Amino acid sequence: MKLIERFLGEGAASGGPFGVLGVDPEHCTDDSVIAALLSRLDEVAKHPQGGAPEADEVRLALRAAAAQLLDAGVRQHLLELWSGQGGAAPAVRGGVPGPGRGAVSRPVPRDIAMERDVLVTLARYGGWNRQARQRLAILAHLNGVSVDQLGATL
């Protein structure tokens, strides 16, 4: 948790995946999660220690948080979990603006959309295993890319 706060600021480690990404739970959509992921990855890259192994751990945590929130079932479960703790979802401090709160809408590049699908697949199947590899091969085919190109996305 200290690493996340070192790279993303105080409070980023609270609020579960919502806090890590800086996403307002009340306005959490796939687009806001992707925008937040891109913003946070840029923030880590610009950090003075952005090339350190610790920064890679933070990037991994960001991608894991995004994978959780991009899965509608997991997102709903997390919202219920957080609302069960004190009656409200976690407050997001210093987060990325959500829709209608000054966010700039930008199209999701194909590689980012494919990365989202890969992350969701790995999260759903419990990591790199036979089922996940089969699903990833199907995703590659559906996206019109080779397995090698999908590997580059990973």
Side-chain angles (χ1 to χ4, degrees):
M1 297 302 179
K2 297 285 185 191
L3 282 179
I4 291 172
E5 288 186 347
R6 181 188 330 164
F7 284 88
L8 301 175
E10 186 178 331
S14 64
F18 301 104
V20 170
L21 288 171
V23 174
D24 182 348
E26 294 178 17
H27 300 97
C28 185
T29 64
D30 286 356
D31 289 341
S32 68
V33 169
I34 292 169
L37 174 62
L38 294 173
S39 176
R40 292 292 210 188
L41 289 172
D42 286 344
E43 197 173 332
V44 172
K46 292 176 184 173
H47 191 276
Q49 297 173 342
E54 292 87 354
D56 290 337
E57 291 183 36
V58 174
R59 288 183 191 94
L60 180 61
L62 288 168
R63 287 185 170 95
Q68 289 178 324
L69 296 180
L70 288 170
D71 183 294
V74 174
R75 178 181 7 189
Q76 184 60 41
H77 174 73
L78 289 169
L79 285 168
E80 291 169 7
L81 178 72
W82 285 103
S83 65
Q85 296 180 3
V92 175
R93 291 175 268 177
V96 176
R101 297 185 312 134
V104 176
S105 178
R106 58 181 169 175
V108 177
R110 179 178 175 185
D111 287 346
I112 297 299
M114 192 166 42
E115 181 178 347
R116 174 188 64 201
D117 292 342
V118 167
L119 290 171
V120 168
T121 298
L122 292 173
R124 182 172 289 144
Y125 291 102
W128 189 257
N129 56 41
R130 189 176 64 82
Q131 287 179 311
R133 288 191 304 271
Q134 288 174 340
R135 175 70 176 152
L136 292 172
I138 292 169
L139 282 173
H141 177 73
L142 290 174
N143 283 285
V145 298
S146 70
V147 175
D148 291 337
Q149 289 171 314
L150 183 67
T153 299
L154 286 171

